[in-house]
Amino acid sequence: MSIAATPKGERRRQALVAAAADLILEGGIDAVRHRAVAHRAGLPLASTTYYFHSLDDLVASAVQHNGRRELDVMRSRVQCVPPSDRGPESTADLIVDLLVGPGGVGEIERERLIARYERCVATARHPELRDVQQELRAQIEQLLTDLLQRCGRSVHEPQLRRLVAVVDGAVLGALSDLDPDPRALARCILPGVLEGVAPPAEQEA
């Protein structure tokens, strides 16, 4: 039986994961240390090594926790979009809303964006994060596919990552320039990319 199989053990384990996840949002992966996590969770220091094989194991669980929180928000955004044929401009708006967030990006949302891209870079240095990142990427692509279909567009799955790459590149550039609106550049570029990657379904009927 797992050491976290009891209700109390599972509660403690989840508290540690949530604490580590919050630390990642605030200071990146390097902020996750045994003592900091235990203090944030209000648990003994030894609990971090009791419930996790290593610090890397804890970090991977925390990254997955943050990713799932992002996915829950994204999923609710997609579900709120009624099916309707949409032009490239309005479709681009919805894509940016999905991948970046609707409206202005406040300080909390900005920190979440930074944490998301730090997670991508960290995957190159932390092999234990690769499976987590691949799972999250696949689910984001599925949500994007659902959104595009709701907008009356055919989805060319092999090219789907082009849309994500356009948004990622624009947002990263804006974040590094301290641009207060990381949505803007992606919003300008997307309409032209859309026609090649996800044309209106009626054109392929």
Side-chain angles (χ1 to χ4, degrees):
M1 183 172 65
S2 169
I3 57 178
T6 66
K8 180 180 178 180
E10 185 58 29
R11 285 195 301 272
R12 287 192 165 198
R13 188 180 190 281
Q14 289 305 314
L16 293 166
V17 170
D22 288 342
L23 286 169
I24 288 175
L25 292 179
E26 294 170 7
I29 288 176
D30 288 342
V32 179
R33 293 289 181 263
H34 290 294
R35 190 174 300 278
V37 173
H39 178 74
R40 176 66 65 94
L43 293 171
L45 176 59
S47 63
T48 58
T49 53
Y50 182 75
Y51 291 106
F52 297 92
H53 298 300
S54 65
L55 190 62
D56 287 342
D57 183 24
L58 174 55
V59 166
S61 296
V63 166
Q64 187 175 53
H65 180 83
N66 279 336
R68 287 174 175 171
R69 287 197 292 197
E70 289 179 16
L71 287 170
D72 286 343
V73 173
M74 290 180 176
R75 194 171 292 111
S76 66
R77 288 175 186 156
V78 172
Q79 291 171 348
C80 289
V81 176
S84 176
D85 291 345
R86 292 178 172 83
E89 301 291 332
S90 59
T91 302
D93 284 335
L94 290 170
I95 292 172
V96 175
D97 286 350
L98 174 67
L99 298 179
V100 183
V105 178
E107 189 60 32
I108 294 177
E109 290 76 13
R110 188 180 186 84
E111 289 301 317
R112 291 188 184 279
L113 283 174
I114 292 172
R116 180 192 303 172
Y117 292 112
E118 285 179 337
R119 179 179 74 213
C120 295
V121 174
T123 300
R125 293 185 180 276
H126 299 270
E128 68 278 0
L129 297 180
R130 289 175 187 165
D131 289 345
V132 173
Q133 184 65 13
Q134 288 175 357
E135 177 191 347
L136 295 174
R137 183 187 297 124
Q139 292 189 59
I140 288 173
E141 290 178 359
Q142 183 55 54
L143 288 172
L144 184 54
T145 297
D146 187 3
L147 175 64
L148 290 169
Q149 290 174 341
R150 287 171 182 254
C151 292
R153 295 187 167 266
S154 296
V155 180
H156 293 181
E157 293 188 13
Q159 301 186 58
L160 195 60
R161 288 189 182 180
R162 286 178 58 192
L163 292 179
V164 179
V166 167
V167 176
D168 286 347
V171 173
L172 276 170
L175 289 173
S176 64
D177 291 339
L178 300 181
D179 190 326
D181 184 12
R183 297 165 40 95
L185 183 57
R187 175 61 186 77
C188 290
I189 298 173
L190 273 176
V193 178
L194 266 172
E195 297 309 289
V197 177
E202 59 189 25
Q203 292 184 6
E204 300 192 352

